Amino acid sequence: MNPEKSSSRRPSVFQPIMFALVLVAGVYIGSTMSKGDVFIFEDNRSANANKLVSVIDYIDDYYVDEVKKEEIIDNAIATVLEDLDPHSYYISSAEYKSVHERMEGNFEGIGVEFMIQNDSLMVVSALEGGPSLRAGIRPGDRIVEVEGESISGAELNNDRVMSLLKGASGSEVTLGIARANKKIDFTIKREAIPIYSVVAGFTVEEEVGYVKVVRFARHTYEEFVEAVDELKSEGAKKIIVDLRGNGGGYLEPATRMVEEFLDRGELIVYTKGRKAGEDRIKSTHNGKYRDLDVVILMDQGSASASEVVAGAMQDHDRSIIVGRRSFGKGLVQNEKPLSDDSAIRLTVARYYTPTGRCIQKPYGDGIEYGDDYSQRYESGELMHRDSIQVADSLMYTTAGGRIVYGGGGIVPDIFVPMDTVGSSPYLSQILYSGLVREFAFSYSDTNRETLEAYGDYKSFDRDFRVSKELLEELGQFAAEERIP
């Protein structure tokens, strides 16, 4: 799995202190958990355990400033895990639920997409089939009250909004909605809201279908099969599977997807680890899509389970890979829950494609792993195939005799350079800041009747034009947000 994480390392002068804290924290947890929990120490370590628990208790009792023991433990565990490899990490109890909601494919709430603008909670859309849409919530509505409590103001943030709107299925919440200078109250019953991982499936041209997969979650396989079956019923004989920007997720739905394109008994992926040994995953049946021609789209943001799919399909000559070299995340994490609803994800093995290519790119001392994107940009790899660093010693041959390369990530069969036409540092800055989205929402809110008159997106796409005046408004909007 590969959920995103961010961290900042302390200066090296603090590393000995942090290492000591890690040991202290580990022993403290071990000494306070019951036998069924994660950290259990052998009797021959009891002396050290007592000593280190005494140290952390001494810090808690006598340190010059007040300390939070739980935060020390959390930070210490996170530090020791991130020093092991780039993908072992700690999930705090506060983060655990939201991480699993994304991967399980649903959460419980009212079913709205929102944004915070000018200290107000704005509804961007009410999700299709959700309780808010059925209740009559509209894009552009402002949620100004929850259970009679005002929620506008500078203290409004995403965490507070989520805590107010999410809740157990069947529970009710009353919202005060500001619309057209009036306040309307809605009582909405919360329910399970699906989070889809297959977000598009349509016919590109005659006999060619397109499916976009954004993550590998619990129900991705079922969503994928449903989308491809629909395209086949419409006459598709060729499928484009878009995995660009897909950072991975659960392995099982990825391997189940692959086996629908293979014969029974063909190797999909294998893993090897010091303690985990070797585990080989093979297709269990003759796949239902063996008659389809396949193209897989990838880029530098495609990682983990995405690379397992692409590597297997490429090694069995079942797909042409188009795009740029994938990220190179081939470390297998096992999750270990802890007693306070936190967890650790520890790397236990590496992924290998059927030909034997290790998906994981190099990491360790002297390698700026987190600067991979900028290094690819500066080396020219994102623009020119010849700049991709491959070694003859990492050359492999597919079942059909094609040459493929290891060394980290999946190298495409057909290279497509990054599109920089019309791009600029200014444009990138306002795009990544979210200002274009905010401006578009504000414009839509002000001009709702005019925009709704287009009827549908096809008419809008055909007839709407961005004027010079509108661009100048966007520039002024960005300048007000300190982007000159």
Side-chain angles (χ1 to χ4, degrees):
M1 299 182 66
N2 188 34
E4 292 181 0
K5 69 187 185 81
S6 61
S7 61
S8 56
R9 294 180 181 272
R10 296 179 180 274
S12 59
V13 67
F14 294 114
Q15 290 300 322
I17 298 173
M18 288 304 300
F19 183 72
L21 288 174
V22 169
L23 293 176
V24 170
V27 174
Y28 179 81
I29 295 172
S31 68
T32 56
M33 286 184 174
S34 64
K35 289 185 178 181
D37 291 318
V38 178
F39 297 97
I40 297 176
F41 291 87
E42 303 293 341
D43 289 342
N44 60 8
R45 300 184 186 182
S46 58
N48 282 335
N50 290 334
K51 181 171 67 176
L52 291 174
V53 169
S54 296
V55 170
I56 200 167
D57 286 340
Y58 185 71
I59 292 172
D60 189 37
D61 290 339
Y62 294 106
Y63 184 66
V64 63
D65 297 317
E66 185 177 353
V67 297
K68 294 181 179 179
K69 188 180 296 184
E70 294 78 9
E71 289 186 4
I72 292 176
I73 294 170
D74 283 0
N75 292 336
I77 296 173
T79 298
V80 75
L81 288 172
E82 73 179 32
D83 281 344
L84 293 175
D85 66 73
H87 299 293
S88 291
Y89 63 102
Y90 172 69
I91 307 170
S92 69
S93 55
E95 299 170 318
Y96 189 81
K97 185 175 181 181
S98 62
V99 168
H100 273 261
E101 283 175 347
R102 292 197 300 272
M103 301 314 299
E104 292 299 321
N106 64 74
F107 66 94
E108 295 178 338
I110 66 170
V112 293
E113 182 184 358
F114 65 85
M115 66 185 298
I116 297 171
Q117 189 174 46
N118 298 326
D119 297 332
S120 295
L121 181 59
M122 317 285 288
V123 176
V124 175
S125 67
L127 301 182
E128 191 69 33
S132 289
L133 184 66
R134 293 196 300 273
I137 302 296
R138 303 175 187 171
D141 284 346
R142 291 164 172 79
I143 302 177
V144 295
E145 292 180 356
V146 177
E147 298 294 351
E149 177 188 353
S150 174
I151 63 168
S152 298
E155 76 281 0
L156 193 62
N157 56 54
N158 286 339
D159 288 341
R160 184 173 182 223
V161 171
M162 297 300 282
S163 67
L164 291 169
L165 299 186
K166 291 169 67 175
S169 288
S171 63
E172 292 185 342
V173 59
T174 300
L175 306 180
I177 300 292
R179 179 191 297 169
N181 299 318
K182 295 189 298 184
K183 186 173 83 70
I184 310 170
D185 289 333
F186 290 84
T187 298
I188 301 173
K189 182 176 289 188
R190 299 182 179 97
E191 59 186 53
I193 308 298
I195 303 173
Y196 294 105
S197 48
V198 176
V199 297
F202 54 86
T203 300
V204 177
E205 58 183 48
E206 187 178 358
E207 296 187 351
V208 180
Y210 169 92
V211 180
K212 172 70 173 176
V213 185
V214 297
R215 69 180 66 84
F216 286 95
R218 182 71 66 195
H219 303 295
T220 301
Y221 167 77
E222 290 81 5
E223 293 176 37
F224 180 78
V225 167
E226 181 180 356
V228 176
D229 284 349
E230 177 66 22
L231 292 171
K232 286 191 69 177
S233 72
E234 296 172 3
K237 297 180 179 178
K238 303 174 183 180
I239 296 292
I240 300 167
V241 181
D242 191 346
L243 299 180
R244 290 174 297 177
N246 184 325
Y250 290 142
L251 178 63
E252 182 186 13
T255 58
R256 291 183 69 192
M257 272 177 53
V258 171
E259 68 179 341
E260 295 300 346
F261 296 94
L262 302 181
D263 293 327
R264 182 196 302 271
E266 291 190 293
L267 180 63
I268 298 173
V269 65
Y270 66 96
T271 63
K272 287 195 298 187
R274 181 176 65 91
K275 291 289 188 179
E278 183 173 313
D279 183 24
R280 303 174 75 84
I281 300 175
K282 297 181 179 181
S283 58
T284 59
H285 62 273
N286 292 324
K288 62 192 297 187
Y289 303 139
R290 289 175 298 156
D291 59 329
L292 291 177
D293 292 334
V294 187
V295 165
I296 293 177
L297 307 183
M298 302 197 79
D299 63 10
Q300 61 281 354
S302 306
S304 190
S306 294
E307 296 172 294
V308 169
V309 171
M313 295 289 281
Q314 188 180 47
D315 282 4
H316 287 293
D317 300 294
R318 280 296 289 117
S319 175
I320 297 296
I321 311 299
V322 176
R324 294 178 289 282
R325 181 169 65 96
S326 61
F327 181 82
K329 194 274 183 183
L331 299 178
V332 183
Q333 279 77 50
N334 273 4
E335 181 176 293
K336 188 68 172 176
L338 306 180
S339 63
D340 63 346
D341 294 327
S342 62
I344 61 172
R345 286 190 177 149
L346 183 70
T347 296
V348 296
R350 290 179 171 84
Y351 287 124
Y352 295 84
T353 73
T355 60
R357 291 181 288 166
C358 181
I359 291 173
Q360 178 62 41
K361 64 187 177 184
Y363 62 88
D365 293 341
I367 296 176
E368 297 296 331
Y369 193 87
D371 293 334
D372 180 78
Y373 180 83
S374 59
Q375 290 172 1
R376 294 191 191 199
Y377 185 87
E378 291 169 3
S379 71
E381 178 181 326
L382 299 179
M383 307 299 180
H384 309 286
R385 181 186 179 89
D386 292 345
S387 297
I388 299 176
Q389 300 296 316
V390 295
D392 290 343
S393 60
L394 297 174
M395 186 170 63
Y396 298 81
T397 305
T398 71
R402 289 191 302 156
I403 301 299
V404 292
Y405 290 92
I410 304 299
V411 178
D413 301 296
I414 299 174
F415 178 79
V416 178
M418 186 171 67
D419 185 4
T420 58
V421 175
S423 183
S424 68
Y426 172 72
L427 177 59
S428 297
Q429 193 171 2
I430 63 172
L431 283 172
Y432 288 118
S433 68
L435 288 180
V436 171
R437 186 172 185 263
E438 287 187 32
F439 178 78
F441 184 85
S442 178
Y443 177 86
S444 301
D445 197 35
T446 305
N447 299 275
R448 190 165 301 279
E449 290 186 6
T450 302
L451 295 173
E452 288 178 345
Y454 284 100
D456 56 36
Y457 75 91
K458 293 182 180 178
S459 299
F460 174 81
D461 184 53
R462 183 183 64 242
D463 299 331
F464 184 82
R465 294 293 178 270
V466 176
S467 65
K468 180 180 178 181
E469 291 74 21
L470 188 56
L471 281 176
E472 289 174 351
E473 286 183 40
L474 173 60
Q476 180 61 35
F477 184 78
E480 292 171 359
E481 298 296 327
R482 299 183 181 179
I483 300 179

